[in-house]
Amino acid sequence: PHFRHCLVRCRHCRIFFLTHPRNAGRKDLACPFGCRESHRRAKSCKRSAAYYRTEAGKVKKRIQNGKRSKNVGEAALEGQGSDASTNEPLEKSQVEEPDTPQFDASVVDYVRLATCLIEGRRVSREEIVEMLERTMRQHSIAREKRMDYILRRLEKRPP
Protein backbone atom coordinates (compact mmCIF):
# COMPACT_ATOMS: atom_id res chain seq x y z
CA PRO A 1 0.00 0.00 0.00
CA HIS A 2 2.83 2.47 0.67
CA PHE A 3 4.01 2.08 -2.96
CA ARG A 4 0.61 3.05 -4.37
CA HIS A 5 1.97 6.45 -5.40
CA CYS A 6 4.73 4.71 -7.42
CA LEU A 7 2.17 2.88 -9.57
CA VAL A 8 1.99 4.54 -13.01
CA ARG A 9 0.33 3.76 -16.35
CA CYS A 10 2.37 3.35 -19.51
CA ARG A 11 1.49 6.08 -21.98
CA HIS A 12 1.55 3.60 -24.89
CA CYS A 13 0.12 0.25 -23.77
CA ARG A 14 -1.70 1.59 -20.66
CA ILE A 15 -0.50 -1.18 -18.30
CA PHE A 16 0.43 -0.36 -14.72
CA PHE A 17 4.05 -0.63 -13.57
CA LEU A 18 6.12 0.52 -10.60
CA THR A 19 8.38 3.52 -11.06
CA HIS A 20 10.94 5.24 -8.87
CA PRO A 21 9.36 7.55 -6.25
CA ARG A 22 10.96 10.61 -7.91
CA ASN A 23 8.94 9.82 -11.09
CA ALA A 24 5.66 9.19 -9.26
CA GLY A 25 2.76 11.14 -10.69
CA ARG A 26 4.28 11.61 -14.16
CA LYS A 27 1.96 10.86 -17.10
CA ASP A 28 4.61 10.66 -19.85
CA LEU A 29 6.40 7.45 -18.79
CA ALA A 30 6.70 4.32 -20.93
CA CYS A 31 6.89 0.85 -19.43
CA PRO A 32 10.18 -1.08 -19.45
CA PHE A 33 8.55 -4.08 -21.14
CA GLY A 34 9.07 -2.97 -24.73
CA CYS A 35 7.28 0.37 -25.12
CA ARG A 36 10.39 2.38 -24.25
CA GLU A 37 12.47 0.53 -26.80
CA SER A 38 9.87 0.62 -29.57
CA HIS A 39 9.27 4.35 -29.03
CA ARG A 40 13.03 4.99 -29.16
CA ARG A 41 13.31 2.99 -32.40
CA ALA A 42 10.36 4.83 -33.97
CA LYS A 43 11.89 8.23 -33.12
CA SER A 44 15.23 7.10 -34.54
CA CYS A 45 13.60 6.02 -37.82
CA LYS A 46 11.78 9.35 -38.01
CA ARG A 47 15.03 11.30 -37.47
CA SER A 48 16.84 9.18 -40.04
CA ALA A 49 14.11 9.61 -42.66
CA ALA A 50 14.07 13.38 -42.09
CA TYR A 51 17.86 13.53 -42.52
CA TYR A 52 17.89 11.51 -45.75
CA ARG A 53 15.29 13.88 -47.24
CA THR A 54 17.77 16.77 -46.95
CA GLU A 55 20.29 17.49 -49.72
CA ALA A 56 23.27 16.39 -47.58
CA GLY A 57 21.44 13.21 -46.62
CA LYS A 58 20.67 12.37 -50.25
CA VAL A 59 24.34 12.74 -51.18
CA LYS A 60 25.44 10.54 -48.28
CA LYS A 61 22.82 7.89 -49.09
CA ARG A 62 23.95 7.83 -52.73
CA ILE A 63 27.54 7.20 -51.57
CA GLN A 64 26.42 4.44 -49.18
CA ASN A 65 24.36 2.72 -51.87
CA GLY A 66 27.34 2.88 -54.24
CA LYS A 67 29.55 1.16 -51.67
CA ARG A 68 26.94 -1.54 -51.09
CA SER A 69 26.83 -2.60 -54.74
CA LYS A 70 30.65 -2.97 -54.77
CA ASN A 71 30.71 -5.19 -51.64
CA VAL A 72 27.97 -7.66 -52.60
CA GLY A 73 30.44 -10.28 -53.92
CA GLU A 74 32.72 -10.01 -50.88
CA ALA A 75 29.87 -10.60 -48.43
CA ALA A 76 28.89 -13.83 -50.18
CA LEU A 77 32.45 -15.20 -49.88
CA GLU A 78 32.65 -14.84 -46.10
CA GLY A 79 31.87 -18.12 -44.39
CA GLN A 80 29.63 -18.55 -41.39
CA GLY A 81 31.12 -19.89 -38.16
CA SER A 82 34.45 -18.16 -38.64
CA ASP A 83 36.01 -14.88 -37.64
CA ALA A 84 35.36 -12.45 -40.55
CA SER A 85 38.74 -10.70 -40.22
CA THR A 86 40.97 -13.81 -40.24
CA ASN A 87 38.66 -16.53 -41.69
CA GLU A 88 39.68 -18.87 -38.85
CA PRO A 89 37.19 -21.04 -36.95
CA LEU A 90 35.88 -19.53 -33.73
CA GLU A 91 37.41 -20.78 -30.51
CA LYS A 92 35.32 -22.27 -27.75
CA SER A 93 35.77 -19.13 -25.61
CA GLN A 94 34.32 -16.97 -28.41
CA VAL A 95 31.19 -19.09 -28.77
CA GLU A 96 28.50 -18.19 -26.24
CA GLU A 97 27.49 -21.01 -23.92
CA PRO A 98 23.88 -21.96 -24.75
CA ASP A 99 23.16 -23.04 -21.16
CA THR A 100 23.66 -19.50 -19.81
CA PRO A 101 20.35 -17.58 -19.75
CA GLN A 102 20.33 -14.08 -21.25
CA PHE A 103 18.08 -11.45 -19.69
CA ASP A 104 16.78 -8.25 -21.25
CA ALA A 105 18.57 -5.28 -19.66
CA SER A 106 15.40 -3.22 -19.26
CA VAL A 107 13.63 -6.07 -17.46
CA VAL A 108 16.65 -6.55 -15.16
CA ASP A 109 16.57 -2.82 -14.38
CA TYR A 110 12.84 -2.98 -13.64
CA VAL A 111 13.23 -6.01 -11.35
CA ARG A 112 16.09 -4.18 -9.62
CA LEU A 113 13.93 -1.09 -9.08
CA ALA A 114 11.01 -3.11 -7.74
CA THR A 115 13.33 -5.07 -5.43
CA CYS A 116 14.93 -1.86 -4.15
CA LEU A 117 11.51 -0.38 -3.40
CA ILE A 118 10.22 -3.49 -1.66
CA GLU A 119 13.33 -4.28 0.38
CA GLY A 120 14.13 -0.65 1.14
CA ARG A 121 17.83 -1.01 0.25
CA ARG A 122 20.09 -0.69 -2.79
CA VAL A 123 20.39 -3.88 -4.84
CA SER A 124 23.12 -4.30 -7.47
CA ARG A 125 22.54 -5.55 -11.02
CA GLU A 126 24.80 -8.52 -10.28
CA GLU A 127 22.57 -9.57 -7.38
CA ILE A 128 19.49 -9.40 -9.61
CA VAL A 129 21.11 -11.38 -12.44
CA GLU A 130 22.30 -14.00 -9.94
CA MET A 131 18.80 -14.20 -8.44
CA LEU A 132 17.20 -14.55 -11.89
CA GLU A 133 19.69 -17.26 -12.87
CA ARG A 134 18.85 -19.17 -9.69
CA THR A 135 15.11 -18.94 -10.29
CA MET A 136 15.38 -19.77 -14.00
CA ARG A 137 17.57 -22.83 -13.45
CA GLN A 138 15.65 -26.00 -14.17
CA HIS A 139 16.46 -29.53 -13.15
CA SER A 140 16.95 -32.16 -15.79
CA ILE A 141 13.98 -34.39 -16.55
CA ALA A 142 16.22 -37.46 -16.71
CA ARG A 143 16.21 -39.58 -13.58
CA GLU A 144 19.63 -39.73 -12.01
CA LYS A 145 21.23 -39.67 -8.60
CA ARG A 146 21.62 -36.27 -6.98
CA MET A 147 25.41 -36.57 -6.89
CA ASP A 148 25.55 -37.31 -10.64
CA TYR A 149 23.39 -34.25 -11.32
CA ILE A 150 25.60 -32.01 -9.15
CA LEU A 151 28.78 -33.27 -10.82
CA ARG A 152 27.32 -32.74 -14.30
CA ARG A 153 26.30 -29.16 -13.39
CA LEU A 154 29.76 -28.45 -11.95
CA GLU A 155 31.41 -29.67 -15.16
CA LYS A 156 29.26 -27.29 -17.21
CA ARG A 157 29.64 -24.28 -14.93
CA PRO A 158 32.45 -24.56 -12.36
CA PRO A 159 32.20 -22.24 -9.33
Side-chain angles (χ1 to χ4, degrees):
H2 56 281
F3 293 122
R4 186 90 175 136
H5 69 283
C6 295
L7 202 59
V8 206
R9 267 192 193 274
C10 174
R11 67 180 174 156
H12 299 290
C13 65
R14 306 297 297 156
I15 65 169
F16 283 106
F17 67 98
L18 286 173
T19 186
H20 195 276
R22 69 173 172 244
N23 291 327
R26 288 182 52 185
K27 304 288 185 203
D28 61 341
L29 298 177
C31 71
F33 308 116
C35 290
R36 256 185 230 157
E37 188 64 26
S38 65
H39 185 68
R40 186 190 66 76
R41 265 188 256 134
K43 288 291 188 183
S44 174
C45 289
K46 207 173 192 179
R47 275 193 315 274
S48 179
Y51 170 73
Y52 286 121
R53 283 189 204 108
T54 65
E55 195 58 41
K58 288 178 184 178
V59 170
K60 185 170 184 175
K61 188 64 177 173
R62 199 172 301 122
I63 292 169
Q64 287 175 337
N65 287 342
K67 288 179 183 177
R68 185 182 309 126
S69 63
K70 293 175 188 175
N71 295 333
V72 169
E74 294 174 16
L77 294 176
E78 291 181 6
Q80 291 184 353
S82 64
D83 189 3
S85 61
T86 61
N87 282 337
E88 295 177 4
L90 293 175
E91 294 180 19
K92 190 174 182 178
S93 62
Q94 292 174 325
V95 178
E96 197 170 300
E97 191 176 322
D99 206 23
T100 307
Q102 298 295 319
F103 303 108
D104 187 29
S106 60
V107 173
V108 172
D109 287 339
Y110 180 74
V111 171
R112 182 174 165 259
L113 172 74
T115 307
C116 288
L117 289 174
I118 292 170
E119 292 186 0
R121 66 179 183 94
R122 288 189 175 260
V123 181
S124 69
R125 287 180 60 90
E126 290 77 25
E127 282 182 274
I128 296 299
V129 170
E130 183 181 317
M131 177 197 67
L132 289 172
E133 284 177 350
R134 267 197 322 267
T135 57
M136 296 299 287
R137 187 180 302 143
Q138 295 180 356
H139 292 285
S140 174
I141 292 177
R143 293 181 182 258
E144 60 186 344
K145 294 180 182 174
R146 181 172 171 80
M147 185 55 79
D148 293 335
Y149 173 76
I150 292 171
L151 291 174
R152 188 169 44 83
R153 285 297 294 177
L154 286 174
E155 285 176 6
K156 284 185 181 177
R157 292 187 65 181

